[in-house]
Amino acid sequence: MAVSRTKLAVGLGIAGILTAVFGVILVFVGPIVIDDQIVKNVEINPKNSLSYTMWKDIPVPFFMSVYFFNVLNPKEILRGEKPMVEQRGPYVYREYRQKDNITFHPNNTVSYLEYRQYHFVRDMSVGDESDVVVIPNMLVLGAAVMMEKMPLPVRLVMSATFTTFNENAFLNKSVGELMWGYDSELVDFLNKYLPGMLPTTGKFGLFSEFNNSNTGLFTVFTGQDDIRKVHKVDSWNGLKKVNYWRTEQCNMINGTAGQMWPPFMTEESTLPFYSPDACRSMELVYERPGVTSGIPFFRFVAPKTLFANGTDYPPNEGFCPCRQSGIMNVSSCRHDAPVFMSHPHFYNGDPVLREFVLGLNPTEEQHGLFIDIHPETGVPLNVSVKLQLNLYMKKVLGISQTDSISEVVMPMIWFEEKGYIDGPVRTTFYVNLVLLPTIMEVMQYVFIALGLFLVLSALFLKLRDKKAVVKADCVLT
C-alpha cells in the first residue's frame, strides 16, 4: 500500500511539474500566438474572410443624418439684422459603401474605388424629403463674395443676371431638392456659356456629388509585410500629398482612409486619416477606455485644435486665411466658394461665432464626434463623425441681392455619419478576436494552477506516507 502511494505521489509530482511548465511556456508563447493570429486576421488579404469582408463591403449598418438650419428671418437678415435659425432634422439616409476595382500590387499595397449610395429612411427621420426649409442661396451669396474684388461693372452684370433668372439671397426648397439637386436656369446658363465655372454640370444640390459617386482612387498598404502599416494610405488619386494648402505639413496625406487602423493600439496612439470630403488629413486623440457588448474599446475624439486658427495653433497656419478658431476655410478645395467647415453648432469654436447667429446651442453629447476602436485589432466598433457646413456671407457693393447683409459665417447644415458593429458580424468578431484569445490567456494560468495543485498533492501524499512509515516503526519498537 505504501509503495502504491509512493508511485502515485511520484506520478502526480511529474504530472504537476509538466503541467506547470506547460502553463509557464504558454505565458510566454501565448501572447505571441494571439498576436500572430490577430496579424493574420487584420491584414488586407482575401484569404481572411472575416476582416477582408468587413474591409471590402462594410457589412454593418451605416447612416447619414442631416440637420438643416432653417432660417426664420430672411427679410430681417437682408436689412442687416442677426440671422435666427432653428434646427430641422434629422433626415436620415442609409449609407451603402462598396469597394470596386480592387487591385493588389507587388509592393504590398492595394488600390480601390469606394462607391457610396444613400437611401432615405422615413421611419428614422422627422419628416419627408418634401419638407420645405429656408437656407442661404450659395449660388448668389457665395458668388457675391467670390466677385467682391472684381470691377464694379462685372458685379453689376452678375447682379442683373441673378435678377433675370429670379435668383434671390435665400432658397425656399424641399429637403430632397437641397440634398440631391434642383433645376436651375442660372446653372444651365452658366454651364452653357461659362463651362467649368461651376463644380456641377447637372442639378445643383449640397450632396449631389456624393450619391452614386466614389471618393477617389485610394492606394493603401495591406500590412502583409509590416502590420504597422496596414490600411495606411500610400497615395490618393496617385498623389502623395495634395496642393490645396499653404504648407507642406498641411498638404500631407497621413494615416488611413478612415475606416480601419493598425492593431495593437495604446493610450498614446492617435487616429490619423485622410478625408477627401474635407480635403485634408485629420487626427483624433485618445479620450478614455470602455466596454461594449463584452468588447473593450478606446474612445478617440477630435482635439480642440482640429479647427483652431493659426494664431491659436500655429501648425494650422497652413490652412489659412483664417477667421475665428473653430471654423476651417475650405474654399481652396471648393472652387474658391466661401465655405467653412466646423463642428455642429460651432462646438469647440470661438464663442463669438455664436454671438452672430441666434438659435445655436452646442453640447459635447450631441455635437462632439468620436470613434470607438478595438485597440488590439484597430477595428472601429462605433463611429459618430459630425461636421457642419457654413457659408461666409456679407453685403457686396453692386450685387443688389446681398442688400445690407451683415458679415457672418452662416450655418447651413450639419450631418452625422454613424455606424456600429452589430448582429452576426459583432458575434463573429467577439468570438474570434476577443473570446478565443481571452480563453487562451486564461488557460495558461489554469495550467499553472493545476500543475501547482498536483505538485502539492504529491507532496501531501509523500508526507502522509512518511508519517505512516514513522508510525509503523514506533509501533514495532
Side-chain angles (χ1 to χ4, degrees):
M1 189 69 176
V3 174
S4 177
R5 280 201 300 267
T6 301
K7 289 183 177 180
L8 177 60
V10 172
L12 288 174
I14 294 174
I17 293 172
L18 292 176
T19 302
V21 168
F22 181 68
V24 172
I25 292 174
L26 280 181
V27 169
F28 295 98
V29 176
I32 298 174
V33 174
I34 293 172
D35 289 352
D36 184 63
Q37 193 63 30
I38 290 174
V39 167
K40 289 180 180 178
N41 275 284
V42 301
E43 66 182 25
I44 303 176
N45 189 334
K47 296 179 180 178
N48 299 332
S49 58
L50 173 63
S51 59
Y52 185 74
T53 299
M54 291 181 65
W55 172 80
K56 181 178 180 293
D57 294 327
I58 309 184
V60 299
F62 218 79
F63 298 92
M64 180 174 71
S65 300
V66 181
Y67 300 81
F68 288 85
F69 289 100
N70 184 48
V71 180
L72 299 177
N73 60 337
K75 293 181 180 179
E76 289 78 6
I77 294 173
L78 291 173
R79 295 199 295 263
E81 296 184 20
K82 285 184 180 182
M84 181 181 298
V85 299
E86 66 172 358
Q87 179 176 290
R88 296 278 295 276
Y91 294 93
V92 182
Y93 297 83
R94 175 69 189 270
E95 183 174 348
Y96 296 91
R97 296 188 181 189
Q98 184 176 21
K99 293 179 174 64
D100 200 3
N101 292 6
I102 299 174
T103 306
F104 286 87
H105 306 291
N107 65 339
N108 293 306
T109 62
V110 58
S111 299
Y112 63 88
L113 294 171
E114 184 171 79
Y115 287 87
R116 301 177 288 190
Q117 286 188 337
Y118 298 90
H119 299 276
F120 183 63
V121 184
R122 177 62 184 87
D123 292 344
M124 300 176 66
S125 306
V126 296
D128 293 309
E129 283 191 300
S130 58
D131 292 352
V132 175
V133 295
V134 178
I135 67 170
N137 187 344
M138 287 186 65
L139 285 174
V140 173
L141 298 178
V145 173
M146 293 168 67
M147 301 181 67
E148 183 179 18
K149 296 182 179 179
M150 297 189 74
L152 180 60
V154 175
R155 283 177 267 150
L156 291 171
V157 169
M158 180 56 73
S159 181
T161 303
F162 289 149
T163 301
T164 300
F165 290 102
N166 197 30
E167 292 283 350
N168 300 307
F170 292 91
L171 289 172
N172 196 328
K173 297 285 185 182
S174 71
V175 168
E177 288 177 311
L178 293 173
M179 285 290 295
W180 312 117
Y182 57 90
D183 293 316
S184 168
E185 292 181 358
L186 174 61
V187 171
D188 294 339
F189 173 81
L190 293 175
N191 283 328
K192 182 177 180 179
Y193 295 102
L194 296 171
M197 179 178 179
L198 297 177
T200 178
T201 57
K203 294 183 176 183
F204 186 83
L206 296 173
F207 285 80
S208 58
E209 296 180 357
F210 279 40
N211 210 7
N212 299 310
S213 66
N214 65 71
T215 54
L217 183 67
F218 273 98
T219 301
V220 303
F221 290 97
T222 64
Q224 294 183 33
D225 61 330
D226 184 354
I227 200 62
R228 294 170 298 179
K229 296 165 63 177
V230 66
H231 301 298
K232 289 187 177 181
V233 178
D234 181 46
S235 66
W236 175 73
N237 283 339
L239 301 173
K240 299 286 187 179
K241 61 180 181 179
V242 296
N243 59 358
Y244 301 122
W245 314 110
R246 297 168 53 190
T247 63
E248 184 174 346
Q249 179 182 355
C250 291
N251 279 319
M252 292 174 64
I253 296 177
N254 297 323
T256 73
Q259 294 175 353
M260 295 184 185
W261 282 265
F264 311 125
M265 291 183 172
T266 67
E267 295 181 1
E268 284 70 43
S269 299
T270 59
L271 291 191
F273 62 97
Y274 176 72
S275 169
D277 298 328
C279 309
R280 59 165 287 190
S281 296
M282 295 190 280
E283 189 171 51
L284 307 187
V285 296
Y286 173 84
E287 184 190 50
R288 63 174 177 84
V291 177
T292 176
S293 300
I295 306 175
F297 66 80
F298 284 173
R299 172 159 291 187
F300 291 84
V301 299
K304 292 184 177 181
T305 56
L306 182 62
F307 295 132
N309 61 25
T311 301
D312 291 343
Y313 187 61
N316 281 353
E317 182 66 35
F319 295 121
C320 292
C322 297
R323 297 182 65 82
Q324 297 91 344
S325 276
I327 56 176
M328 175 186 165
N329 190 338
V330 293
S331 59
S332 59
C333 71
R334 288 291 180 265
H335 306 276
D336 293 324
V339 177
F340 286 78
M341 182 174 291
S342 70
H343 295 298
H345 289 244
F346 297 132
Y347 171 70
N348 269 348
D350 190 322
V352 74
L353 293 167
R354 298 189 294 277
E355 293 178 6
F356 290 105
V357 182
L358 303 176
L360 303 181
N361 184 30
T363 65
E364 180 180 2
E365 181 181 357
Q366 296 183 47
H367 306 125
L369 67 83
F370 67 86
I371 299 180
D372 293 339
I373 297 284
H374 180 236
E376 290 300 309
T377 61
V379 174
L381 304 176
N382 191 13
V383 176
S384 177
V385 176
K386 304 166 185 174
L387 295 172
Q388 178 172 298
L389 295 180
N390 312 278
L391 181 67
Y392 172 59
M393 60 188 202
K394 62 185 295 188
K395 174 183 178 179
V396 176
L397 184 65
I399 299 182
S400 61
Q401 286 76 12
T402 63
D403 204 349
S404 298
I405 294 177
S406 298
E407 183 178 352
V408 64
V409 177
M410 181 72 175
M412 295 181 65
I413 65 167
W414 72 270
F415 59 94
E416 174 189 19
E417 290 191 285
K418 59 183 177 182
Y420 50 89
I421 285 185
D422 198 13
V425 175
R426 183 183 65 188
T427 301
T428 302
F429 181 90
Y430 175 75
V431 170
N432 287 287
L433 297 175
V434 178
L435 183 60
L436 291 180
T438 301
I439 290 174
M440 181 175 288
E441 185 177 355
V442 170
M443 287 304 297
Q444 62 195 22
Y445 297 108
V446 170
F447 280 117
I448 292 174
L450 179 60
L452 291 175
F453 174 76
L454 292 176
V455 170
L456 290 174
S457 298
L459 290 174
F460 176 76
L461 287 175
K462 186 67 176 174
L463 289 173
R464 184 179 177 184
D465 187 50
K466 188 174 182 180
K467 286 182 179 180
V469 171
V470 171
K471 187 177 182 181
D473 289 343
C474 292
V475 171
L476 291 172
T477 304

